[in-house]
Amino acid sequence: RLSPRKRSPPRRAWLRRGAMSGLARPPPRPPPLLWRRRPALSRRLVSAARRTAATTSTSSSSAAATTATTTASSSSSAAGPSQLHRQMLRLVELTQPTARQAKERELAAWWTAKAVREAAPGATVHIFGSTATGCQLPGSDLDLVAIRAPSRRKKGVAPESAAELAPHSRAFEQLRKIQRRVRASGVADQRDPLVVIRAKVPLLRFSEKRSLLSVDLSWNATDGLRNSQAIRCAMEARPELRPLMLCVKALLRQRGLNTTVEGGIGSYLLFAMVLEHFEPRARLEAVRREAVRRAKAAQTAAAAADDEVAEVVELAVEAAGTEAAKS
């Protein structure tokens, strides 16, 4: 009922069509549909094929499970790198800056240093932070610090302004001068504002025009340089610090928890946390090695003492035998 069989047109229709189309005689009748005479045979063959496939798949799945168990046990016994380890290393490879990105960072630092030298003659600009330590993610900020030694003033001469008495106010005034120079020289992107942030360490924040990198410039703040040097030394001693730091930094950026001003975790705090994660393990490993060394030393001493006792007993037995022979 759902799919009625299509019947062939009667003989008269064939004759009319043949006469209208100019044929001498009608075409022959279509051959009978032989496959409709054996549906039961087809169903039986399909059922038998399905049973055979099910039996084969069951046996192959059991064999595959046995092979997988054997492989897992052998791989666990081999103690190779885990999948998480390989994924972390792959993530580190993907976060590596390309040659073009590295060149853009260098040029952004160079143009900023040029503007700083024009605004404050005698100042030198240094790179610190994640760019200096090699822990930057794609699109990370460029941290710069301008350092200039204080001018030597003659004894008894008063300072020119009250701003020179407070380092914080002096840094803020210098950053204001650099801000005006950066805006006039065209280093900064005019679409983004140049902001001097009043914080514990004043910052000049702007976007570099050519690379569109966010630049944070501070004045005479040497703590960042010392921290970057400490991080580099620690990474040279422990190469496993960098992959773990990059993975956690990527996670924090994804969750929006990488900004210190907004209550997030900065790079140096993250470094301290990761280092503390490894240091207790190192201490425990040192304690374990010391305990193993002491146990081996005690075992060696006990073996030596047993040898001495056995030698003394042997000498005593020989002496007793000699005295008995004399008597």
Side-chain angles (χ1 to χ4, degrees):
R1 295 177 182 176
L2 297 179
S3 57
R5 181 179 176 181
K6 185 177 181 181
R7 298 181 179 179
S8 59
R11 187 76 174 173
R12 295 176 184 177
W14 286 105
L15 290 174
R16 284 198 302 270
R17 290 180 183 179
M20 291 175 63
S21 59
L23 296 176
R25 58 181 180 178
R29 292 181 179 272
L33 301 177
L34 300 179
W35 61 272
R36 293 185 180 276
R37 298 180 183 179
R38 46 184 181 184
L41 178 59
S42 301
R43 285 197 293 269
R44 286 198 299 270
L45 291 176
V46 170
S47 301
R50 286 179 179 176
R51 286 195 298 270
T52 306
T55 307
T56 308
S57 63
T58 304
S59 59
S60 62
S61 62
S62 60
T66 307
T67 307
T69 306
T70 308
T71 307
S73 60
S74 62
S75 62
S76 61
S77 61
S82 63
Q83 184 179 2
L84 177 61
H85 176 81
R86 294 192 297 270
Q87 289 177 350
M88 291 176 66
L89 294 182
R90 179 57 180 163
L91 178 61
V92 172
E93 292 178 2
L94 293 175
T95 55
Q96 293 300 312
T98 61
R100 179 180 178 180
Q101 293 174 350
K103 189 65 175 178
E104 288 178 352
R105 284 184 175 270
E106 293 179 2
L107 290 176
W110 188 85
W111 285 108
T112 305
K114 184 175 181 295
V116 169
R117 287 193 298 269
E118 292 174 356
T124 58
V125 178
H126 303 271
I127 301 176
F128 71 98
S130 59
T131 306
T133 58
C135 295
Q136 76 274 14
L137 294 174
S140 296
D141 298 342
L142 179 61
D143 299 321
L144 302 175
V145 55
I147 298 177
R148 185 175 67 177
S151 59
R152 295 184 178 180
R153 193 174 299 278
K154 294 182 180 181
K155 188 175 181 181
V157 178
E160 297 179 357
S161 62
E164 297 185 6
L165 298 176
H168 187 278
S169 300
R170 185 167 60 250
F172 187 79
E173 292 298 328
Q174 290 292 340
L175 291 178
R176 282 291 188 185
K177 294 180 182 178
I178 297 173
Q179 179 187 20
R180 290 191 290 269
R181 184 57 195 171
V182 167
R183 182 183 287 111
S185 61
V187 175
D189 188 6
Q190 300 299 329
R191 293 172 293 181
D192 294 335
L194 279 77
V195 183
V196 178
I197 302 175
R198 282 186 176 272
K200 184 179 181 180
V201 179
L203 292 175
L204 172 60
R205 179 168 295 174
F206 63 93
S207 295
E208 203 270 331
K209 183 178 180 180
R210 296 165 182 83
S211 61
L212 299 180
L213 285 174
S214 179
V215 180
D216 290 343
L217 178 66
S218 57
W219 180 263
N220 276 349
T222 58
D223 294 340
L225 294 176
R226 290 196 295 267
N227 295 341
S228 300
Q229 182 65 25
I231 292 175
R232 284 197 299 267
C233 294
M235 286 185 177
E236 291 177 1
R238 290 184 172 277
E240 63 271 15
L241 286 175
R242 184 169 175 271
L244 186 56
M245 281 190 63
L246 285 172
C247 293
V248 180
K249 283 186 71 173
L251 176 63
L252 292 175
R253 173 186 283 189
Q254 185 183 17
R255 301 298 180 181
L257 299 174
N258 59 334
T259 307
T260 309
V261 181
E262 299 176 357
I265 299 176
S267 298
Y268 190 70
L269 177 57
L270 178 61
F271 163 73
M273 294 169 62
V274 174
L275 186 62
E276 183 61 25
H277 170 73
F278 282 105
E279 285 300 327
R281 290 191 174 187
R283 288 195 290 267
L284 289 175
E285 186 66 20
V287 170
R288 189 189 67 80
R289 287 197 298 266
E290 182 66 19
V292 170
R293 187 188 64 80
R294 290 184 180 181
K296 288 183 179 180
Q299 186 177 1
T300 305
D306 292 342
D307 294 341
E308 292 179 1
V309 170
E311 186 177 357
V312 170
V313 170
E314 186 178 356
L315 292 176
V317 170
E318 290 181 358
T322 303
E323 292 180 359
K326 289 181 180 180
S327 62

